[in-house]
Amino acid sequence: MASAPTPPPLLPVTNPAPGSSPPTAVGSDAPISTPAFRLFLSRLSDSARRSLSDRRPWGELLDRSAFSKPDSVSDATSRLRRNLAYFRVNYAAVVAFALGASLLAHPFSLLILLGLLGAWCFLYLFRASDQPVVLFGRTFSDRETLMGLVGASFVLLFFTSVASLIISGLLVGGALVAAHGAFRVPEDLFLDEPNAVTGTGATQGLLSFLGGTGSGV
């Protein structure tokens, strides 16, 4: 008489406790706080759009008939002050172009700078507050992460050519702005009254994306 077939072994099943979340796969958490990163991009886009709305026509900036030699140092200083208030967005673009050209001429230094900015973004600025930094099996606190990033920034900026390239780009851009502002006659320029008084509207709009951003610590 044939014996009955042996039933297959039962696999153990673990029922989750009431109110507990289902298990997630290791590494499924995003390494960056998505809401904070999206908020930063939204602020950056809005501030850039508001600042560019105050940009003056480039033809007006480069009008050859409006250039003349200043009569004195005080005249050059007065011209520069008025032109800075009127062409501030255009001048910021000139300085940014000089800085970008200086970095693009040295791709290795540009890669170092981009890597440093990426480390700040992913490890501190937009990292989720409940997700610690773990390297080589060791968990780093927020203070240790910040100190490590500051130390790495100091080493990479001042012991490589990155800092010198940034300074040289800013100096070239500042020299171009100073020369244009001193030789451009501002008699035909008309400033809006609120901007003429403060002179900071575009600057505040350009830097407003920094408000409210942080590491979530």
Side-chain angles (χ1 to χ4, degrees), residues 48-142:
R49 190 180 301 110
R50 287 195 302 267
S51 299
L52 290 178
S53 64
D54 294 334
R55 177 180 56 84
R56 307 300 179 180
W58 291 102
E60 185 178 3
L61 181 77
L62 302 176
D63 185 11
R64 295 182 179 180
S65 61
F67 286 89
S68 67
K69 183 179 179 180
D71 298 330
S72 60
V73 176
S74 61
D75 184 27
T77 305
S78 176
R79 290 185 182 185
L80 179 59
R81 186 181 302 111
R82 294 190 60 184
N83 285 321
L84 281 175
Y86 188 78
F87 293 113
R88 55 185 176 273
V89 178
N90 302 75
Y91 285 161
V94 171
V95 174
F97 178 80
L99 179 59
S102 176
L103 291 173
L104 287 175
H106 300 79
F108 180 73
S109 298
L110 179 60
L111 290 177
I112 292 178
L113 182 61
L114 292 178
L116 186 60
L117 293 177
W120 273 98
C121 290
F122 281 89
L123 297 180
Y124 190 77
L125 293 177
F126 304 114
R127 177 175 53 83
S129 58
D130 58 346
Q131 186 176 9
V133 177
V134 180
L135 293 176
F136 305 107
R138 184 183 186 279
T139 301
F140 293 85
S141 64
D142 295 322

Side-chain angles (χ1 to χ4, degrees), residues 138-194:
R138 184 183 186 279
T139 301
F140 293 85
S141 64
D142 295 322
R143 181 182 179 86
E144 292 173 335
T145 303
L146 177 60
M147 296 302 296
L149 288 173
V150 170
S153 301
F154 180 83
V155 171
L156 292 178
L157 289 178
F158 295 99
F159 288 90
T160 63
S161 60
V162 176
S164 61
L165 290 175
I166 293 177
I167 294 174
S168 62
L170 293 177
L171 289 178
V172 171
L176 292 175
V177 168
H180 181 276
F183 284 87
R184 211 288 185 185
V185 181
E187 273 72 15
D188 59 336
L189 304 182
F190 299 92
L191 298 177
D192 298 332
E193 188 63 25

